[in-house]
Amino acid sequence: MAEETLVLFKNIRNPKYDKSLAGYKRSGGFKSLKKVFGMKPEEVVQEVKESGLRGRGGAGFPTGLKWSFMAKGTGKPSYLIANADESEPGTCKDRELMLKDPHLFLEGLMISSYAIGCHHAYVYVRGEFFPAIKTLNAAVGELYADGLLGTNPLGSGFKLDITIHTGAGAYICGEESALLDSLEGKRGQPRVKPPFPAVSGFNGCPTSVNNVETLACIPFILSDGGAEAFKSFGPQNNSGTHLVSLSGHVNCPGVYELRMDVSMKDIIYDIGGGIRDGKKLKGVIPGGSSSPVMKADEVDVLYNFDDLAKIGTMLGSAAMMVFDEGTDIVKLLHRITRFYAHESCGQCTPCREGTHWSSQIIQDFLRGNGSDEKLKRLYRVGGNMLGTTLCALGDAAAMPIQSFVNKFPEEFRKYYATL
Amino acid sequence: MFSEDIQAQVDNLLCRYPIKQNALIPILLLVQKENEGWLTEEWMQHVADICEVPLTHIEGVVTFYTMFRLKRPGRYHLQICTCVPCCLVGGTELLEHTEKKLEIQAGHTTDDGVFSIEEMECIGACSYAPAVIVNEDYHEQVTPEEMDKMIKELRQ
Ligand code: FES
């Protein structure tokens, strides 16, 4: 029987937990920060590298390595930006952390700021998250009042400010360079890379952008023996626990904290309580709406970065969308393509045109105007977005299209085949 | 042009960033909230002056982000998510139901100015779908019956 492993949700799963600063301290909070102030910043980065932590925002890039790219000796300030723009369809884990245990995430942000020499960190929260924004602002207020933020937290002499910044509604701002443009007060459009943010990020200064859940792992990793313990939770190269946002046609949707050696089958049938209304599973979109779709007979696989990559899909932001046998695949794909058409920033032609075009072709199927020729065209339009755009939105739009057509061709044919 | 309280909040935002322009989006959101949920050219010009950018820059920004509005919304702005997980469990039907109930399409406001509807892309509450935001509050696993009840209560 698969069950949760509680590291990030240790407090959240405690019904008596009080999420105020006092409550967080009582739960053992800020011990890691205190310990870290006695270490050299490089040592902190090294610990994070050794823990094997990979970014939880979608790309899975090693966090310690990302920090080690930060340009040094530039004479400019360095910045750490927490990416709380959670907007990949299916993903709702960062909201949980911010709402229910804000100080865990903020301690992680503080330790990480120390590690990369940042004296003013920003939390870029999507604007629609009104309740989370209020919770975070209140929590930051408590930290200033307590002296944990400001000029001399815990007598360390390390000056640190945190500002909660609100976005204003745009999926693309989850992409780190678009997020930086947005934070600067511009339209959020992805930048040409290089230079990477580690060299030229916020206002042209060295910057690291890290996901909320990634940062929330840091206090545990920096606790005594934490890095080793974190590593021991999953298969090699897939360290730690992660938060899985489970949604769709399961009996118990929710956000669950799991090790990375739990199989998708167990997540659907044990954790998620199986498919609702006694129906059969038809498929799963495993890692946010951009990940290639899987069929029911493929779910006997460990839910982690590498095992999913091996079968041609991806873990992404660990957002599992489960759908049952009654689901209309063409309508589902249409909804996904409509999303990307709405969210394309319009900079790159393949994505700006391709997202709309693909959505229109699928619309044709739904109206009874499909054909073999159009199915091929749909696949081609998807392919033309792969790898041809500045940021990953083009790929994100292409992968569902190609995988849906590959795995469920008969569903499209149903719409035009004459008997 | 601002009340004392808003001026204080604007000043506080300005001092949190290295450059005035950086504070632009939070200031615009603050101003929009104060102005009953929408922005006028006059307000945009004022923010442009504060942040030391041309008005055209502000126009570029407000037309890029979905949360900025150039039309007055209803007193209760119903933001209904129909993105993938919500759509799987009835989000689309919930939107259609609400449109019928209020006799307006998404993107519009009722004649009495009380309600407006907006169709949303994922609002980050997918495990508790279908999700709706009313002004600033989240409502989760909303059924058409609950929506009816909410509308009735808000109308009173
Ligand atoms: S899809 Fe509706 S909240 Fe994510």
Side-chain angles (χ1 to χ4, degrees):
Chain A
M1 182 86 186
E3 50 182 47
E4 286 195 296
T5 302
L6 300 179
V7 176
L8 301 175
F9 274 4
K10 180 178 68 99
N11 294 332
I12 292 180
R13 287 290 186 252
N14 171 4
K16 295 211 193 78
Y17 180 60
D18 155 21
K19 68 179 177 186
S20 71
L21 178 55
Y24 181 64
K25 279 187 181 169
R26 272 198 302 276
S27 78
F30 288 108
K31 276 199 195 126
S32 297
L33 181 69
K34 199 166 178 189
K35 176 184 159 198
V36 160
F37 280 151
M39 295 166 70
K40 290 202 192 90
E42 308 82 74
E43 290 168 351
V44 182
V45 176
Q46 192 53 35
E47 283 285 294
V48 173
K49 272 190 187 164
E50 271 160 29
S51 76
L53 172 64
R54 295 170 69 173
R56 304 294 196 236
F61 193 80
T63 306
L65 190 61
K66 187 169 188 174
W67 289 352
S68 66
F69 294 152
M70 290 286 285
K72 293 183 191 70
T74 57
K76 293 180 189 167
S78 295
Y79 289 104
L80 177 62
I81 317 292
N83 186 344
D85 190 52
E86 183 160 70
S87 36
E88 174 74 14
T91 320
C92 54
K93 63 194 175 69
D94 295 338
R95 184 180 81 128
E96 208 88 349
L97 286 168
M98 293 187 285
L99 275 177
K100 298 182 180 164
D101 199 6
H103 287 292
L104 171 71
F105 153 59
L106 290 169
E107 184 183 0
L109 180 62
M110 291 161 79
I111 295 172
S112 310
S113 297
Y114 179 77
I116 64 166
C118 158
H119 295 287
H120 195 148
Y122 292 84
V123 182
Y124 184 105
V125 196
R126 63 177 298 181
E128 294 90 344
F129 273 175
F130 300 101
I133 292 166
K134 275 187 210 137
T135 308
L136 286 175
N137 272 317
V140 167
E142 284 183 300
L143 291 172
Y144 274 108
D146 190 79
L148 274 164
L149 283 176
T151 43
N152 193 15
L154 300 171
S156 62
F158 180 75
K159 182 183 170 310
L160 179 61
D161 284 302
I162 292 181
T163 295
I164 308 301
H165 176 94
T166 42
Y171 166 73
I172 192 60
C173 291
E175 194 276 341
E176 62 177 20
S177 68
L179 180 147
L180 292 170
D181 263 22
S182 178
L183 183 62
E184 290 177 5
K186 303 173 186 156
R187 295 163 76 96
Q189 287 179 322
R191 299 176 178 175
V192 182
K193 284 158 271 189
F196 288 93
V199 173
S200 177
F202 180 45
N203 290 332
C205 302
T207 303
S208 179
V209 181
N210 294 101
N211 169 262
V212 170
E213 184 190 342
T214 310
L215 294 168
C217 293
I218 301 294
F220 179 83
I221 291 172
L222 269 299
S223 64
D224 291 329
E228 269 309 306
F230 192 81
K231 216 159 130 182
S232 74
F233 286 141
Q236 213 194 354
N237 205 25
N238 294 273
S239 288
T241 55
H242 65 161
L243 300 180
V244 178
S245 314
L246 183 61
S247 68
H249 299 147
V250 285
N251 279 311
C252 315
V255 181
Y256 299 101
E257 179 168 19
L258 302 171
R259 295 166 52 114
M260 294 211 210
D261 54 8
V262 179
S263 84
M264 280 179 82
K265 202 167 150 194
D266 289 344
I267 299 177
I268 298 168
Y269 294 100
D270 279 359
I271 305 278
I275 309 300
R276 58 181 211 182
D277 302 330
K279 291 202 178 141
K280 281 207 206 84
L281 176 69
K282 183 169 200 166
V284 184
I285 304 172
S289 65
S290 52
S291 57
V293 67
M294 297 164 69
K295 292 181 88 162
D297 60 8
E298 295 177 287
V299 299
D300 203 357
V301 59
L302 296 187
Y303 192 57
N304 64 41
F305 292 108
D306 295 342
D307 284 87
L308 288 182
K310 258 184 240 149
I311 60 163
T313 182
M314 57 195 249
L315 179 67
S317 53
M320 260 174 82
M321 291 166 270
V322 175
F323 51 92
D324 69 26
E325 53 188 337
T327 309
D328 185 320
I329 291 294
V330 182
K331 279 193 186 147
L332 181 59
L333 181 62
H334 184 242
R335 188 61 191 88
I336 296 174
T337 52
R338 204 152 67 81
F339 171 77
Y340 289 106
H342 183 255
E343 301 296 344
S344 172
C345 85
Q347 260 190 126
C348 311
T349 311
C351 169
R352 181 185 60 235
E353 302 299 320
T355 51
H356 280 276
W357 201 8
S358 52
S359 172
Q360 273 163 21
I361 298 174
I362 303 169
Q363 180 80 272
D364 273 357
F365 280 86
L366 292 173
R367 294 207 173 113
N369 292 328
S371 65
D372 279 337
E373 180 49 43
K374 280 191 184 158
L375 193 58
K376 276 191 211 133
R377 191 182 304 150
L378 176 63
Y379 192 84
R380 212 169 50 233
V381 171
N384 287 343
M385 291 188 275
L386 261 183
T388 54
T389 54
L390 270 181
C391 82
L393 198 142
D395 295 350
M399 288 184 293
I401 296 175
Q402 297 205 318
S403 65
F404 271 77
V405 174
N406 269 336
K407 296 211 168 147
F408 298 99
E410 67 291 349
E411 298 267 342
F412 291 84
R413 283 192 200 111
K414 259 203 323 230
Y415 271 94
Y416 61 86
T418 42
L419 297 167
Chain B
M1 203 161 164
F2 289 139
S3 67
E4 234 171 80
D5 173 42
I6 298 302
Q7 188 61 51
Q9 289 187 53
V10 168
D11 291 342
N12 182 45
L13 280 170
L14 286 169
C15 74
R16 301 303 296 183
Y17 298 86
I19 301 173
K20 285 182 178 162
Q21 184 187 325
N22 299 159
L24 196 157
I25 291 173
I27 292 179
L28 280 171
L29 285 168
L30 180 67
V31 170
Q32 172 167 283
K33 189 173 169 189
E34 280 311 298
N35 191 48
E36 295 174 354
W38 64 304
L39 290 166
T40 59
E41 181 157 342
E42 210 188 347
W43 282 117
M44 290 195 276
Q45 183 62 57
H46 191 54
V47 176
D49 295 340
I50 294 173
C51 295
E52 298 173 354
V53 296
L55 179 61
T56 48
H57 179 88
I58 302 271
E59 284 166 348
V61 167
V62 302
T63 50
F64 185 83
Y65 297 95
T66 54
M67 284 177 70
F68 292 121
R69 287 183 291 265
L70 299 171
K71 266 190 340 208
R72 182 193 294 273
R75 188 144 39 92
Y76 300 104
H77 188 52
L78 312 176
Q79 300 151 76
I80 304 174
C81 179
T82 65
C83 199
V84 184
C86 284
C87 159
L88 283 173
V89 296
T92 317
E93 290 76 13
L94 183 67
L95 172 69
E96 285 165 2
H97 174 86
T98 313
E99 287 178 328
K100 245 196 233 139
K101 172 98 189 164
L102 295 175
E103 297 177 354
I104 50 167
Q105 296 285 301
H108 294 269
T109 306
T110 52
D111 287 339
D112 58 6
V114 179
F115 293 104
S116 49
I117 306 178
E118 185 176 349
E119 180 179 11
M120 303 295 283
E121 293 297 354
C122 181
I123 52 177
C126 326
S127 293
Y128 316 99
V132 177
I133 307 175
V134 180
N135 292 350
E136 299 195 346
D137 296 325
Y138 272 72
H139 298 261
E140 297 168 349
Q141 295 180 323
V142 181
T143 61
E145 295 72 41
E146 282 163 355
M147 180 61 96
D148 287 351
K149 202 168 143 234
M150 196 152 67
I151 289 174
K152 199 168 152 207
E153 283 167 9
L154 291 174
R155 201 163 245 149
Q156 278 161 9

